[in-house]
């Protein structure tokens, strides 16, 4: 039952959440805290209790897959010190507002910077979509070769198989990233809406907008619509102005990706109309086909594919005003499976369970509820983000840089023809060790199950009674707001 997504032993430099304590009173998603900041129960007891309750009601934050916002920022600060030749961290603000957003640029700074392609990726725009920033964090870790926790198992191998021939492909995400970063600079905004993400962490699970209640993906000056949540004017919100400031500082910006959740999809313009724009890159269809193989989801123009319109979105603005040819929106998870194609291999959780109360339902609709699904989402969408950078590098970079063999240190024209490292490079696991570990895992799971069943039954009965009383108010609180 314990997730294996990010075990502490994999990377000792990882911030250990278990040593953290909430310095304020009240309750948070990581446990009840007393007024003096000390845990009311030991971590061992809390972990066991969280397993039981989480198993009963599906609360994703009964496990430790997710990271607090401050942990993400702390990791990036540490990474900028430990990897100065690959990651640069800046704290960006705009005049007239105290908000500061961390922004990282990841590339191979030891390679020539001439003619490198710029790619910008933005995560955590909507507060309740916690998984968005998690994908961003693991993208950074992948680019730094600190992603052992997701490289373990079959998920990464399966993801690479969806893009490359098995007999001749990169042996890991890290190998792919090493070659890619010689030709691409990836600028990442890991959490665009940090203060409200922190509010979600403390239990306000349905929050979407920023601290002023404005929807940051309706605040852009292209087909902007004056609504109660779009801001008093285009670019009225500091977060939007910081994103624009960063984008204007990128001299060769060829791709912009905003990462959201609520469904499964990859969109390109337009959001504000169901008509497809002129000027879409000739190879957009090729990229959409590749991304669809990974996500098993619908792809196409936002308004036309989603069958609803959104006004004042960043994607439309970047495409039309900043002339970014590959301006995209990723929708990386939706509990109901909306947007998945019929042949998709994704496991689908279905609608949030009836026993879960209103706020928790909000959270479950937008975020994977267990460690295995969390890992699957992270791996597939990190793969798709790498694919976008790969695609624009091949399209925009001079062919003389792209045709040299990989083994000479340059980026290959195709993995299949020049990538000389095949399956012999992959680490083979000892079958005896694997069998022993599996036996231990099954025994531990059995013990947890035996001792948890009676408690689960009691909790479920209590929740059912409470649910009957609160069903109407819960549904009103959730609403149907799953727009990007």
């Amino acid at each position: 039952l314990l997730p294996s997504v990010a075990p502490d032993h994999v990377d000792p430099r990882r911030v250990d959440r278990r040593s953290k304590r909430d310095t304020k009173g009240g309750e948070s998603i990581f446990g009840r805290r007393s007024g003096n900041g000390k845990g009311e129960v030991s971590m061992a007891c809390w972990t066991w209790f969280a397993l039981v309750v989480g198993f009963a009601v599906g609360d994703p934050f009964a496990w430790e897959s997710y990271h607090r916002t401050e942990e993400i920022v702390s990791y990036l600060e540490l990474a900028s010190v430990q990897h100065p030749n690959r990651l640069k961290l800046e704290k960006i603000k705009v005049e007239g507002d105290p908000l500061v957003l961390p922004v990282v640029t990841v590339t191979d700074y030891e390679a020539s910077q001439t003619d490198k392609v710029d790619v910008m990726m933005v995560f955590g725009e909507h507060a309740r979509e916690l998984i968005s920033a998690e994908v961003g964090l693991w993208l950074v870790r992948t680019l730094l070769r600190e992603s052992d926790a997701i490289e373990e198992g079959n998920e990464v191998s399966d993801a690479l198989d969806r893009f490359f021939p098995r007999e001749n492909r990169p042996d890991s995400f890290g190998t792919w990233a090493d070659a890619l970063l010689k030709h691409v600079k990836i600028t990442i905004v890991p959490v665009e809406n940090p203060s409200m993400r922190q509010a979600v962490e403390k239990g306000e699970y349905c929050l979407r907008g920023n601290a002023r209640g404005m929807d940051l993906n309706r605040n852009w000056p292209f087909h902007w619509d004056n609504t109660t949540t779009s801001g008093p004017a285009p670019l009225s919100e500091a977060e939007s102005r910081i994103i624009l400031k960063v984008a204007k500082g990128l001299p060769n910006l060829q791709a912009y990706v905003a990462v959201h959740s609520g469904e499964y999809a990859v969109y390109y313009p337009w959001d504000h109309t169901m008509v497809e724009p002129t000027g879409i890159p000739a190879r957009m269809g090729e990229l959409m086909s590749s991304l669809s193989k990974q996500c098993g989801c619908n792809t196409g123009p936002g308004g036309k594919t989603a069958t609803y319109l959104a006004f004042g979105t960043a994607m439309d603005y970047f495409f039309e005003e900043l002339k970014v040819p590959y301006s995209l929106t990723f929708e990386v998870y939706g509990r109901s499976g909306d947007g998945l194609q019929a042949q998709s291999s994704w496991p689908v959780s279905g609608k949030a369970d009836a026993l879960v109360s209103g706020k928790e339902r909000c959270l479950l609709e937008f975020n994977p509820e267990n460690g295995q699904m969390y890992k699957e989402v992270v791996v597939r969408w990190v793969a798709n983000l790498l694919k976008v950078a790969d695609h624009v590098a091949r399209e925009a970079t001079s062919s003389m840089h792209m045709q040299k063999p990989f083994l000479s240190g340059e980026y290959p024209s195709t993995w299949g023809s020049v990538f000389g490292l095949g399956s012999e490079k992959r680490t083979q696991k000892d079958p005896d060790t694997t069998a022993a570990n599996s036996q231990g895992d099954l025994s531990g799971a059995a013990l947890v199950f035996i001792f948890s069943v009676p408690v689960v039954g009691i909790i479920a009965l209590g929740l059912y009674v409470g649910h009957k009383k609160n069903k109407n108010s819960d549904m009103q609180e959730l609403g149907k707001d799953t727009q990007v």
Side-chain angles (χ1 to χ4, degrees):
L1 295 177
L2 285 170
S4 59
V5 178
D8 296 328
H9 69 270
V10 169
D11 182 2
R13 291 168 293 184
R14 178 176 177 268
V15 178
D16 188 349
R17 280 189 301 286
R18 293 176 301 181
S19 65
K20 298 284 185 181
R21 292 293 182 267
D22 196 347
T23 56
K24 297 181 180 180
E27 193 161 345
S28 73
I29 59 177
F30 292 95
R32 187 180 299 276
R33 309 299 184 199
S34 61
N36 61 8
K38 296 180 179 178
E40 291 180 359
V41 293
S42 70
M43 183 52 65
C45 291
W46 166 247
T47 301
W48 183 86
F49 178 74
L51 281 169
V52 175
V53 175
F55 190 66
V57 304
D59 182 355
F61 302 103
W63 302 292
E64 289 201 345
S65 297
Y66 290 78
H67 300 75
R68 291 179 184 270
T69 300
E70 59 265 29
E71 289 171 344
I72 295 174
V73 176
S74 294
Y75 172 78
L76 298 175
E77 291 172 342
L78 182 62
S80 68
V81 175
Q82 295 178 332
H83 301 277
N85 293 325
R86 185 157 285 201
L87 183 146
K88 307 292 184 186
L89 172 66
E90 297 180 273
K91 301 291 183 71
I92 307 295
K93 64 177 299 183
V94 290
E95 186 177 351
D97 196 284
L99 177 68
V100 177
L101 292 183
V103 178
V104 298
T105 301
V106 188
T107 191
D108 184 348
Y109 284 102
E110 295 181 332
S112 172
Q113 303 303 298
T114 305
D115 297 328
K116 278 195 172 182
V117 176
D118 284 302
V119 175
M120 184 174 180
M121 300 176 178
V122 178
F123 303 86
E125 186 170 58
H126 291 148
R128 64 192 175 190
E129 298 167 15
L130 299 181
I131 189 61
S132 170
E134 300 292 321
V135 173
L137 172 64
W138 283 105
L139 173 65
V140 173
R141 293 184 65 125
T142 297
L143 296 173
L144 298 180
R145 278 189 170 268
E146 291 188 347
S147 58
D148 288 358
I150 62 168
E151 296 269 358
E152 295 173 351
N154 297 324
E155 291 85 359
V156 169
S157 178
D158 292 344
L160 289 169
D161 284 344
R162 295 182 190 107
F163 286 149
F164 306 106
R166 173 171 276 275
E167 66 275 8
N168 238 344
R169 61 159 170 76
D171 61 329
S172 67
F173 280 175
T175 303
W176 188 8
D178 286 347
L180 181 62
L181 292 176
K182 294 181 183 298
H183 299 279
V184 179
K185 289 190 298 181
I186 303 179
T187 299
I188 297 169
V189 180
V191 189
E192 183 185 348
N193 192 5
S195 63
M196 291 298 97
R197 189 181 195 271
Q198 289 172 321
V200 172
E201 292 164 9
K202 295 175 181 177
E204 295 298 325
Y205 297 153
C206 292
L207 293 176
R208 173 182 169 94
N210 68 356
R212 286 155 40 96
M214 300 299 110
D215 187 334
L216 299 174
N217 202 31
R218 301 293 186 271
N219 190 232
W220 289 84
F222 183 74
H223 286 266
W224 177 76
D225 188 18
N226 187 9
T227 69
T228 56
T229 60
S230 61
L235 295 176
S236 59
E237 307 309 299
E239 295 89 345
S240 303
R241 298 199 302 277
I242 289 175
I243 298 300
L244 181 59
K245 180 179 179 178
V246 172
K248 286 186 172 181
L250 303 177
N252 192 16
L253 185 57
Q254 297 297 310
Y256 164 85
V257 186
V259 177
H260 291 270
S261 66
E263 58 179 329
Y264 295 91
V266 177
Y267 297 133
Y268 59 85
W270 300 117
D271 273 335
H272 71 275
T273 177
M274 293 191 182
V275 177
E276 186 169 346
T278 58
I280 291 293
R283 294 181 60 201
M284 180 69 86
E286 176 187 326
L287 176 60
M288 291 297 109
S289 177
S290 294
L291 300 179
S292 181
K293 289 178 184 178
Q294 196 67 245
C295 68
C297 63
N298 293 334
T299 64
K304 182 179 180 180
T305 306
T307 67
Y308 68 83
L309 304 182
F311 300 90
T313 67
M315 182 176 76
D316 283 3
Y317 180 88
F318 270 70
F319 179 76
E320 179 64 21
E321 301 297 336
L322 298 185
K323 307 303 179 186
V324 178
Y326 289 94
S327 184
L328 308 172
T329 297
F330 282 8
E331 290 282 344
V332 303
Y333 175 81
R335 184 178 173 87
S336 65
D338 289 346
L340 289 180
Q341 297 168 352
Q343 69 275 21
S344 172
S345 61
W346 281 98
V348 179
S349 301
K351 291 292 184 181
D353 299 332
L355 292 179
V356 181
S357 64
K359 287 184 178 181
E360 284 70 27
R361 285 174 66 89
C362 282
L363 203 56
L364 293 178
E365 292 288 350
F366 294 92
N367 303 284
E369 66 190 271
N370 62 63
Q372 184 55 44
M373 191 61 176
Y374 172 104
K375 184 180 181 183
E376 190 78 33
V377 169
V378 165
V379 168
R380 292 204 194 199
W381 290 100
V382 166
N384 268 351
L385 291 167
L386 293 174
K387 185 64 176 179
V388 170
D390 180 297
H391 182 88
V392 298
R394 294 175 187 277
E395 183 167 285
T397 306
S398 170
S399 61
M400 68 178 182
H401 292 297
M402 301 296 283
Q403 301 302 324
K404 295 181 181 179
F406 175 79
L407 291 179
S408 71
E410 291 293 340
Y411 201 65
S413 57
T414 64
W415 289 107
S417 62
V418 300
F419 189 69
L421 305 177
S423 58
E424 69 277 1
K425 284 283 290 182
R426 298 174 196 139
T427 302
Q428 300 296 321
K429 293 187 177 180
D430 183 345
D432 294 332
T433 304
T434 302
N437 288 341
S438 299
Q439 238 179 1
D441 290 344
L442 287 171
S443 299
L447 285 173
V448 171
F449 179 77
I450 291 170
F451 287 105
S452 298
V453 165
V455 182
V456 169
I458 295 170
I459 292 173
L461 180 60
L463 288 171
Y464 177 76
V465 174
H467 160 72
K468 297 297 287 183
K469 295 180 179 179
N470 296 309
K471 182 176 180 181
N472 292 335
S473 60
D474 287 347
M475 294 305 296
Q476 290 174 358
E477 186 171 9
L478 172 62
K480 295 182 179 180
D481 186 10
T482 58
Q483 299 178 358
V484 297

